[in-house]
Amino acid sequence: MTRGDGGRGPDRRGLLRAGAAALVLGAAGCTGGGGSQVTGTSPAATATGTPTPAPTPTPTPLPHPPLWQPGPGEIQPDVKRRAVELVAALGAWPPGGQGAEAARARVAALGLPPALADRAGPLAPAAAEASLEVIVAQYGGILADSASVLVVCRQWTRGPDGSVAEGGTTVDVRLSRAEPRWAVTELHPGDAGPAAASPPSAVARVLAEPRIELPPEAAADLRSGTVHDSVLEAMLRLAGPYTLSVSVVRTGHPLDVFGTTRPSDHPLGRAFDVWRIDGLAVVDPGTPRQLIESFMRDAAAAGSYNVGGPVALPGVGNRFFTDDTHHDHCHVGFDH
């Protein structure tokens, strides 16, 4: 039998023998690259005929931002530094450093009472590894011998399967004057609670607004449905001329105005604090005073009855105020 090109076709029995030989060689793993692709082994394993397990994927490293440090313009900067050190010791640990005993040891290494670790709450979830970013440390109150520092955090944790979750909380750290450094007396981590089934429609608009920067706890406050519409609408209105970096809305703030028995508007969902305007920190002496004054006036125009900040402004009915507590942020409060 001849092929169409005039050559002699291959012998049928030869084709069968060749095909059978190829199957035997392939099953024995003696082929080159084709054999390694089928079995999934490395070239070295193919040569010896011994399968090698695929390498275990390297876990994605957790972010490790530098620890927050007070900048210029701070009042009693070491008070804030002390609070931040404690929160970082409780909210971040290397692989295998989880658990209450390890947390107590880290707190003791700071010269603070180890029992503070027992109050870490959501700052110490069950995770094999955690890292922490302190977004800002803001005063909830500063007096001659006592202080409240609101440490606003973002946290990353690694789960049992190696996955990374992101969250965060705001911790109200209480301190009292001592030598050589102020002592931490208590801490109150915030917990905004679950998201509401049907939060106000303005919540979605605020969360989607790129000119409103919200830390994890503040965003959770909005999703919980416990923040008044007056706050949400004022945020949206101020986000027209400004970029707002919000520090605290409801959760994590002292229940009373610090040093008094007057209820704060924050836990009632009727206030928010801004620590940075257009990317410039309120506490920084280099931030133009004109920018801060303009923001405070516009906050009042947006409906706030009680606007605090680092500068004194004239206003009817004590609408504006300033004190040491508000030298590092602008407070925007509402009475309804």
Side-chain angles (χ1 to χ4, degrees):
M1 178 177 178
T2 59
R3 292 173 59 87
D5 59 4
R8 182 172 297 276
D11 178 68
R12 179 179 177 82
R13 287 173 295 177
L15 282 172
L16 292 171
R17 287 194 297 270
L23 288 171
V24 171
L25 288 171
C30 295
T31 58
S36 65
Q37 291 172 3
V38 172
T39 63
T41 58
S42 66
T46 300
T48 63
T50 303
T52 301
T56 302
T58 302
T60 302
L62 298 185
H64 285 283
L67 188 61
W68 180 92
Q69 296 292 335
E74 295 280 6
I75 292 176
Q76 296 277 11
D78 194 54
V79 175
K80 288 188 176 183
R81 189 181 291 110
R82 189 69 156 154
V84 166
E85 289 170 352
L86 172 62
V87 170
L90 293 174
W93 56 86
Q98 72 273 25
E101 288 304 319
R104 292 188 190 105
R106 293 193 297 271
V107 173
L110 297 174
L112 292 171
L116 289 169
D118 301 335
R119 302 293 304 274
L123 194 60
E129 181 184 4
S131 66
L132 188 86
E133 176 189 20
V134 173
I135 299 170
V136 66
Q138 167 192 304
Y139 277 123
I142 177 71
L143 302 174
D145 296 314
S146 60
S148 160
V149 179
L150 310 183
V151 184
V152 183
C153 305
R154 180 176 288 110
Q155 187 182 47
W156 296 268
T157 55
R158 190 180 307 284
D161 60 352
S163 62
V164 177
E166 180 178 341
T169 187
T170 296
V171 187
D172 176 10
V173 182
R174 301 297 178 92
L175 305 97
S176 63
R177 181 181 291 277
E179 295 296 339
R181 302 183 71 187
W182 282 47
V184 177
T185 56
E186 38 183 321
L187 70 157
H188 305 278
D191 186 355
S198 300
S201 59
V203 167
R205 292 162 54 206
V206 172
L207 293 174
E209 173 54 61
R211 294 174 66 84
I212 301 174
E213 299 172 351
L214 295 166
E217 190 82 83
D221 282 338
L222 268 60
R223 295 189 185 99
S224 72
T226 56
V227 177
H228 283 233
D229 284 346
S230 54
V231 168
L232 304 173
E233 295 297 338
M235 284 185 180
L236 291 167
R237 180 168 171 177
L238 290 167
Y242 307 100
T243 296
L244 319 178
S245 295
V246 175
S247 50
V248 178
V249 178
R250 184 179 67 89
T251 311
H253 194 279
L255 297 179
D256 294 329
V257 176
F258 191 74
T260 78
T261 57
R262 289 182 288 115
S264 167
D265 286 324
H266 283 279
L268 301 174
R270 298 198 310 237
F272 65 99
D273 290 343
V274 173
W275 72 276
R276 194 166 58 182
I277 305 167
D278 292 345
L280 302 174
V282 171
V283 72
D284 192 335
T287 298
R289 296 294 93 176
Q290 181 180 359
L291 174 65
I292 296 174
E293 291 180 14
S294 174
F295 177 84
M296 292 174 67
R297 293 187 188 282
D298 286 346
S304 175
Y305 82 106
N306 192 28
V307 183
V311 294
L313 295 177
V316 178
N318 197 29
R319 194 165 193 161
F320 301 102
F321 71 93
T322 185
D323 55 27
D324 284 352
T325 297
H326 294 83
H327 79 284
D328 60 5
H329 67 279
C330 291
H331 167 89
V332 184
F334 298 84
D335 55 6
H336 64 278

